[in-house]
């Protein structure tokens, strides 16, 4: 069993697509083992996006991701990381095939509805970042 972090981004929340997104994960037998709604602040966003925090486009991402509360979750299941990423489709929604969350409902690279961990190492760090000390119901 593997755990991964997802964040239902501001566009997902604003467009009230969270139910459809969660239903797609439920249909492939991924379990929610932790969940919380939160407002992302500058400190956590700079840590989370440290690999691009020095890029000229980062302020736009920071403004978007802090624009409204998001839902952070830990999903668990066999090969959860690769399965979640497959269900989501590529980061750029315009390149995502029909049948994926981003292909069906996303707009572009930023307005792509859901963040998901891309590796076991990233999942571990992101779970600690967003749920460190919080209960995880395994």
């Amino acid at each position: 069993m593997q755990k991964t972090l997802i964040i239902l981004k501001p566009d997902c929340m604003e467009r009230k697509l969270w139910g459809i997104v969660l239903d797609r994960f439920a249909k492939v037998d991924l379990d929610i083992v932790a969940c919380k709604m939160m407002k992302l602040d500058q400190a956590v966003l700079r840590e989370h996006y440290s690999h691009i925090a020095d890029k000229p486009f980062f302020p736009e991402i920071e403004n978007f991701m802090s624009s409204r509360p998001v839902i952070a979750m830990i999903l668990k299941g066999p090969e959860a990381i690769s399965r979640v990423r497959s269900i989501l489709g590529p980061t750029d929604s315009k390149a995502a095939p029909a049948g994926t969350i981003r292909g069906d409902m996303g707009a572009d690279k930023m307005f792509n509805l859901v963040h998901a961990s891309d590796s076991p190492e990233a999942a571990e760090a992101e779970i600690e970042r967003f749920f460190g000390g919080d209960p995880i119901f395994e």
Side-chain angles (χ1 to χ4, degrees):
M1 290 296 200
Q2 190 176 55
K3 291 184 282 191
T4 189
L5 178 102
I6 66 165
I7 299 172
L8 303 182
K9 292 176 158 187
D11 56 327
C12 184
M13 301 302 289
E14 181 178 358
R15 294 173 57 203
K16 297 179 179 24
L17 296 173
W18 36 265
I20 295 167
V21 170
L22 292 178
D23 184 57
R24 295 221 187 163
F25 293 131
K27 284 181 177 172
V28 296
D29 204 27
L30 289 166
D31 294 317
I32 298 171
V33 296
C35 178
K36 65 181 172 180
M37 184 175 240
M38 59 195 304
K39 183 101 162 120
L40 302 178
D41 62 24
Q42 185 180 50
V44 76
L45 287 168
R46 290 198 177 263
E47 181 182 351
H48 186 64
Y49 291 109
S50 62
H51 60 290
I52 58 168
D54 62 342
K55 303 290 185 196
F57 57 82
F58 179 73
E60 185 180 3
I61 293 171
E62 188 175 44
N63 288 337
F64 166 62
M65 290 299 292
S66 64
S67 66
R68 66 175 43 235
V70 299
I71 296 175
M73 289 185 211
I74 302 171
L75 300 180
K76 183 178 178 181
E79 300 178 31
I81 294 167
S82 62
R83 290 173 59 214
V84 164
R85 295 189 67 79
S86 177
I87 293 162
L88 287 176
T91 301
D92 186 349
S93 296
K94 292 178 181 177
T100 64
I101 289 169
R102 291 173 175 155
D104 292 347
M105 298 173 278
D108 56 30
K109 277 187 175 182
M110 184 165 23
F111 299 105
N112 64 7
L113 305 171
V114 182
H115 164 82
S117 303
D118 62 5
S119 69
E121 298 78 22
E124 185 177 335
E126 291 173 354
I127 288 168
E128 178 60 29
R129 180 175 304 125
F130 291 98
F131 286 92
D134 293 343
I136 297 174
F137 301 93
E138 298 189 60

